[in-house]
């Protein structure tokens, strides 16, 4: 009877248990967004090059294909930013940038959660026993020189994924000891948005993008493909410009940078002039809101022309992204002064 009951029990739980297992597997792939870390979210129509930009400036590796809606969820990349002082953070003077490896990101999360691996515990014991001989700083230098910067003995240093990410690093990783202020920041790739008529319902992927902008501490990079190759059915040049105006009106106070991507494919006649007209109109509106005249509306409209393939504009874009991340950090610090729950862990 026990054997029969056991088989019946297993048959009964097989369906629910397999569902729980699949849910667990899915949750492993869900990006963990830290609310205490500045972020830049890339927004735009489908197939305009957002994923390629995330790959170029962060540790993120979203899927890149030449068809719309390649990105079907939020993909997260990271970058470590360094500043000399709080004043430099406020004005956007970045002292250094590095792209953390996968193992460094794991260590960052473990330290934040207070979890210690076997290797980390061994290092603490070694430091304790060597206080009379080796200086802590000297020992740290030895650790860096022997290649174990992350302090993980359990991970395989020959891991191919880690090596590929290190090869893609924009700069040689910089030690946190080099600068007084460092911050792990987030670069988010989002599903494409479509221009929709009033009353049209957005799909779940579009709602995910708008929810990220509305509820996360993000700056915005609006990406456009003005070559005419993004696909007229869902993201013509005119649709992209109208969508940009709508999204900007919805989030007028966010740090913002406009990017014309895929410049190596060219820009159709009149598209860049149309963008300039939109930006000038926005500048004039902001000036009028502050009680200024049209002559005081500001400088020539600013945007970045980018080609990941040819490397054009990448450094300029990276600098603007770091500037915006600094702006978001300043806002987060101000919010933390009011609500301690928002404060970054020390």
């Amino acid at each position: 009877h026990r054997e029969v009951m056991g088989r019946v029990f297993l048959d009964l739980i097989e369906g629910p248990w397999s569902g729980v297992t699949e849910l667990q597997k899915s949750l492993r792939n869900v990006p963990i967004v830290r609310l205490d870390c500045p972020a830049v979210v890339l927004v735009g129509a489908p197939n305009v090059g957002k994923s390629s930009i995330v790959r170029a400036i962060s540790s993120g590796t979203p899927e890149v294909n030449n068809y719309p809606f390649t990105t079907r969820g939020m993909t997260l990349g990271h970058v470590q930013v360094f500043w000399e002082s709080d004043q430099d953070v406020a004005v956007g003077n970045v002292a250094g940038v590095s792209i953390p490896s996968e193992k460094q990101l794991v260590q960052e999360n473990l330290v934040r959660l207070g979890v210690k691996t076997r290797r980390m515990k061994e290092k603490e014991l070694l430091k304790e026993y060597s206080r009379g001989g080796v200086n802590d700083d000297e020992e740290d230098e030895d650790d860096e020189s022997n290649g174990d910067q992350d302090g993980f003995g359990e991970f395989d240093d020959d891991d191919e994924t880690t090596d590929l990410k290190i090869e893609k690093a924009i700069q040689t990783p910089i030690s946190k000891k080099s600068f007084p202020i460092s911050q792990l920041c987030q670069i988010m790739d989002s599903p494409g948005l479509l221009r929709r008529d009033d009353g049209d319902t957005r799909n779940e992927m579009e709602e995910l993008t708008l929810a990220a902008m509305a509820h996360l501490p993000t700056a915005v990079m609006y990406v456009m493909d003005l070559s005419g190759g993004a696909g007229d059915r869902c993201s013509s040049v005119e649709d992209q410009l109208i969508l940009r105006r709508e999204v900007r009106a919805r989030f007028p106070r966010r740090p913002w940078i406009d990017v014309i991507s895929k410049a190596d494919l060219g820009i159709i006649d009149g598209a860049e002039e149309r963008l300039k007209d939109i930006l000038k109109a926005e500048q004039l509106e902001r000036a009028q809101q502050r009680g200024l005249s049209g002559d005081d509306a500001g400088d020539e409209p600013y945007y970045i022309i980018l080609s990941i393939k040819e490397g054009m504009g990448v450094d300029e874009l990276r600098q603007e992204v770091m500037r915006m991340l600094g702006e978001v950090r300043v806002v987060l610090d101000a919010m933390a002064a009011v609500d301690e729950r928002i404060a970054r862990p020390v």
Side-chain angles (χ1 to χ4, degrees), residues 79-83 94-98 181-185 322 325:
V79 60
Q80 192 83 33
V81 187
F82 302 87
W83 295 276
V94 176
V97 180
S98 71
I181 302 175
S182 68
Q183 175 80 63
L184 184 69
C185 300
M322 299 312 129
L325 288 169

Side-chain angles (χ1 to χ4, degrees), residues 245-270:
R245 189 168 53 194
E246 293 174 352
V247 175
R248 185 54 168 157
R250 186 167 179 172
F251 301 97
R253 298 174 62 85
R254 295 297 178 96
W256 184 287
I257 182 67
D258 291 292
V259 176
I260 300 176
S261 67
K262 302 183 182 181
D264 50 285
L265 301 180
I267 299 175
I268 66 172
D269 292 340

Side-chain angles (χ1 to χ4, degrees), residues 40-54 188-190 193 220-226 230 235 240-241 243-244 256-262 304 306 308 317:
V40 170
V41 59
L42 280 73
V43 179
N47 200 33
V48 295
K50 299 187 295 293
S51 297
S52 296
I53 295 174
V54 171
M188 303 174 64
D189 185 18
S190 66
L193 294 174
V220 179
M221 182 194 304
Y222 188 83
V223 184
M224 297 161 279
D225 175 5
L226 303 187
S235 38
Q240 291 180 62
L241 294 174
L243 176 65
R244 184 236 171 256
W256 184 287
I257 182 67
D258 291 292
V259 176
I260 300 176
S261 67
K262 302 183 182 181
I304 293 175
L306 179 74
I308 297 296
L317 175 63

Side-chain angles (χ1 to χ4, degrees), residues 69-95:
F69 295 108
T70 302
T71 302
R72 293 174 291 277
M74 302 302 294
T75 303
L76 205 59
H78 294 84
V79 60
Q80 192 83 33
V81 187
F82 302 87
W83 295 276
E84 292 281 6
S85 66
D86 288 328
Q87 178 64 23
D88 288 319
V89 176
V91 299
N93 291 336
V94 176

